[in-house]
Amino acid sequence: TPGVLTEATADLTWALLMAAARLIVKADNYVKRGEWKEGWSPTLFLGENVYGKTLGIIGAGKIGLAVAARASGFNMKKIYFNRSKLPREIEEKFGLTYKPLEDLLKESDYVTIHTPLTKETYHMIGEAQLKLMKPTAILINTSRGAVIDGAALVRALREKWIAGAALD
């Protein structure tokens, strides 16, 4: 449904990013289990800052650009990888800088994926790519699940190659 869910998917991407960064699910489960009765501190579920961080956008189509537009409110550095470089006017309008995929993964604090599932994008994020990411990085996927190698992602999370993931 091209064009139908652009804004909704960009909003969802940001909801997932914020939830992962600020440990919303972990904090919710903590409260539901009644663990707050055992102890609490103001920084217990502070999580990671979003403001001023680097956002890597994989797939700079309509949804990727809508995600980039929302990042401006967080004063984020915005880098992107796409199968083709965007026109300079579009890069300037959205404050985007093109990076090869490997560089984007190494530099980003948050990586969002907005690609279609094709032969070229199937498992485009696997063990090698996850190992390039910062140990503090968070991966957000609102594209098709098979763009990420699920087994590699589980290993990356268990072995703390990355800090977290949020998946649609």
Side-chain angles (χ1 to χ4, degrees), residues 115-130:
T115 63
L117 179 59
T118 65
K119 290 177 186 174
E120 293 77 27
T121 62
Y122 177 80
H123 284 188
M124 76 181 292
I125 303 297
E127 183 174 323
Q129 293 74 28
L130 291 162

Side-chain angles (χ1 to χ4, degrees), residues 68 72 76-80 89-97:
S72 296
M76 297 181 93
K77 176 181 176 184
K78 295 171 280 186
I79 59 179
Y80 78 99
E89 311 83 64
I90 300 294
E91 288 181 340
E92 289 174 2
K93 178 180 177 181
F94 289 93
L96 290 164
T97 302

Side-chain angles (χ1 to χ4, degrees), residues 13-154:
T13 300
W14 273 94
L16 291 170
L17 188 151
M18 295 299 292
R22 292 301 182 175
L23 308 174
I24 301 299
V25 174
K26 189 175 181 180
D28 182 58
N29 288 334
Y30 179 86
V31 171
K32 286 178 180 175
R33 288 190 305 264
E35 293 177 24
W36 59 272
K37 297 173 186 173
E38 299 168 19
W40 177 85
S41 76
T43 59
L44 182 61
F45 294 110
L46 185 59
E48 295 297 325
N49 286 332
V50 174
Y51 189 86
K53 298 292 184 171
T54 299
L55 176 65
I57 299 170
I58 300 173
K62 290 179 182 175
I63 294 170
L65 291 177
V67 169
R70 287 156 174 77
S72 296
F74 290 92
N75 195 34
M76 297 181 93
K77 176 181 176 184
K78 295 171 280 186
I79 59 179
Y80 78 99
F81 170 78
N82 205 44
R83 64 181 162 212
S84 59
K85 197 168 184 276
L86 295 171
R88 188 171 41 86
E89 311 83 64
I90 300 294
E91 288 181 340
E92 289 174 2
K93 178 180 177 181
F94 289 93
L96 290 164
T97 302
Y98 178 84
K99 296 281 183 167
L101 181 59
E102 294 77 16
D103 293 344
L104 179 144
L105 294 169
K106 289 176 187 175
E107 296 175 26
S108 298
D109 298 299
Y110 300 93
V111 175
T112 65
I113 305 173
H114 313 284
T115 63
L117 179 59
T118 65
K119 290 177 186 174
E120 293 77 27
T121 62
Y122 177 80
H123 284 188
M124 76 181 292
I125 303 297
E127 183 174 323
Q129 293 74 28
L130 291 162
K131 284 184 173 180
L132 291 173
M133 295 174 67
K134 298 176 183 181
T136 56
I138 294 174
L139 179 66
I140 297 95
N141 185 23
T142 56
S143 67
R144 300 292 181 212
V147 170
I148 299 173
D149 178 343
L153 178 59
V154 168

